[in-house]
Amino acid sequence: MSAILNFLKKKDLYLGILRYLLGSVMIAYAIPKILKAQFVIIPFETWQTPLEHLSGKSLAWAFLGFSTWFEIMLGFFELIPAVLLLFRRTTLTGAILIFPLTLNVFLINMALNISHNTKVIALILLVLNILVLVFEWRKLWNAALIIIGKVKLKFTAAEIAINFIVIVVVGYMAVRGLSVYIKQRNFLTGDWINRHPNEWVLKSEKLGDSTLKARNLKVYFGSYGSYSELDSAGKNGEQLTYRLNEKKKTLDFYTVGGNVVFYKGKYQLTGDTLLQIRKVIDSTKNTILTQVY
């Protein structure tokens, strides 16, 4: 009993330590964001790394630092509640405002596996935030009672029926659309839904019987017939769509938004690593471009 009384006597001291720790650390994290200095992707060669090979930290930093105003805004969202934590009368307001941030930072660190040190720091900040809220539980409870007392939970049968129908209809439409989207996969696209799209790299090509000069070309087959090519200079050629017929072994290409056939072709797949496409470039002269990927 005496231990509890001693704790209650020192409650303000413990709360002061918690709120100053949380507030000062959050200020230290807010200032670099405001000065646009936190979300910098280093080393700089990382900028040339393919997306699938980037670390969780690089992905997070690239996303959060893409927009300058967004980074600065995040800084102020951390700075304002952190300053409020330093004052006794605004401690609870600061703790409530900063809780979504500390929780979000912790979840991002865990989900993207950013680094061990940042995970520990994020966890400590979240725990500090929760402890401040626990110390202020009485104020939270009183506020909850006021809010609950003004809310009358009364639902009519018609309202329940209408909401049930809305949820079922919207849910069905969403699931149906997503199921069609997810099924947009074949041996050309790869398992993109699980982040494993195929990249087909040109190995050789012949125009008729003549072997063409080697060039750097990569092609990607996407969902809903999307198709793109990349060469050493970036995106290559006119944007096309493709139609695959696995039964007839045909692979036809079309201009986007039109029914005009750009060229028709047949494909041959050896295992799951070698793809040969024969494209009819000029039907009048029966000119065929053979590409091996």
Side-chain angles (χ1 to χ4, degrees):
M1 188 69 179
S2 60
I4 296 175
L5 292 174
N6 290 332
F7 174 81
L8 292 175
K9 289 179 181 179
K10 297 181 179 180
K11 175 188 171 184
D12 290 340
L13 173 62
Y14 297 144
L15 177 59
I17 294 173
L18 290 172
R19 62 188 178 85
Y20 267 90
L21 278 175
L22 180 59
S24 58
V25 174
M26 293 306 297
I27 289 173
Y29 273 102
I31 291 174
K33 293 183 181 68
I34 295 172
L35 298 179
K36 302 177 294 181
Q38 180 172 352
F39 300 124
V40 179
I41 303 175
I42 52 177
F44 295 133
E45 63 263 24
T46 305
W47 289 77
Q48 304 303 318
T49 305
L51 185 64
E52 62 180 326
H53 299 309
L54 287 175
S55 66
K57 179 179 179 180
S58 296
L59 289 171
W61 261 229
F63 167 70
L64 295 171
F66 178 79
S67 172
T68 299
W69 68 264
F70 182 73
E71 182 178 1
I72 295 174
M73 182 182 69
L74 286 179
F76 279 107
F77 279 173
E78 291 180 354
L79 179 64
I80 294 172
V83 172
L84 292 176
L85 283 168
L86 303 181
F87 297 91
R88 286 177 297 175
R89 293 189 175 219
T90 55
T91 294
L92 180 58
T93 302
I96 292 174
L97 291 176
I98 213 165
F99 179 70
L101 297 174
T102 57
L103 178 60
N104 189 50
V105 168
F106 172 73
L107 294 176
I108 288 176
N109 274 272
M110 298 302 294
L112 297 180
N113 194 26
I114 292 180
S115 73
H116 175 71
N117 290 337
T118 54
K119 286 180 184 178
V120 172
I121 293 173
L123 177 60
I124 292 173
L125 291 175
L126 178 60
V127 170
L128 287 174
N129 199 162
I130 292 173
L131 287 175
V132 172
L133 292 172
V134 170
F135 270 87
E136 298 282 48
W137 71 270
R138 190 176 295 278
K139 293 180 182 177
L140 286 172
W141 178 251
N142 291 334
L145 289 177
I146 294 173
I147 296 172
I148 294 173
K150 293 183 178 180
V151 176
K152 295 181 180 180
L153 299 177
K154 186 177 180 181
F155 305 104
T156 64
E159 184 180 20
I160 294 174
I162 291 172
N163 289 341
F164 177 77
I165 294 172
V166 169
I167 291 171
V168 171
V169 172
V170 173
Y172 170 76
M173 293 175 64
V175 170
R176 183 181 178 185
L178 285 174
S179 64
V180 174
Y181 176 60
I182 292 171
K183 290 178 181 177
Q184 298 291 314
R185 286 180 284 174
N186 53 57
F187 72 91
L188 292 173
T189 64
D191 188 14
W192 56 267
I193 194 67
N194 292 310
R195 300 176 180 83
H196 297 294
N198 284 342
E199 178 184 76
W200 298 95
V201 181
L202 182 65
K203 298 181 180 297
S204 64
E205 59 182 338
K206 295 171 64 177
L207 185 61
D209 295 327
S210 304
T211 301
L212 301 179
K213 183 179 179 181
R215 61 188 179 122
N216 180 19
L217 180 67
K218 299 176 181 178
V219 299
Y220 306 88
F221 298 88
S223 59
Y224 295 109
S226 62
Y227 173 83
S228 57
E229 298 181 351
L230 289 179
D231 58 17
S232 55
K235 194 167 184 179
N236 178 52
E238 183 179 8
Q239 186 177 358
L240 304 173
T241 60
Y242 75 94
R243 294 180 188 174
L244 173 68
N245 189 322
E246 295 189 48
K247 291 183 179 179
K248 296 181 179 180
K249 299 289 184 181
T250 59
L251 182 61
D252 301 337
F253 296 84
Y254 297 81
T255 55
V256 174
N259 297 319
V260 179
V261 178
F262 190 69
Y263 45 63
K264 288 189 174 183
K266 286 185 173 292
Y267 73 87
Q268 178 181 339
L269 187 66
T270 304
D272 58 354
T273 58
L274 196 63
L275 174 67
Q276 182 186 83
I277 302 177
R278 291 168 55 85
K279 302 174 181 176
V280 180
I281 302 300
D282 189 340
S283 58
T284 59
K285 298 180 181 179
N286 197 29
T287 305
I288 297 176
L289 175 66
T290 304
Q291 295 178 313
V292 177
Y293 296 90

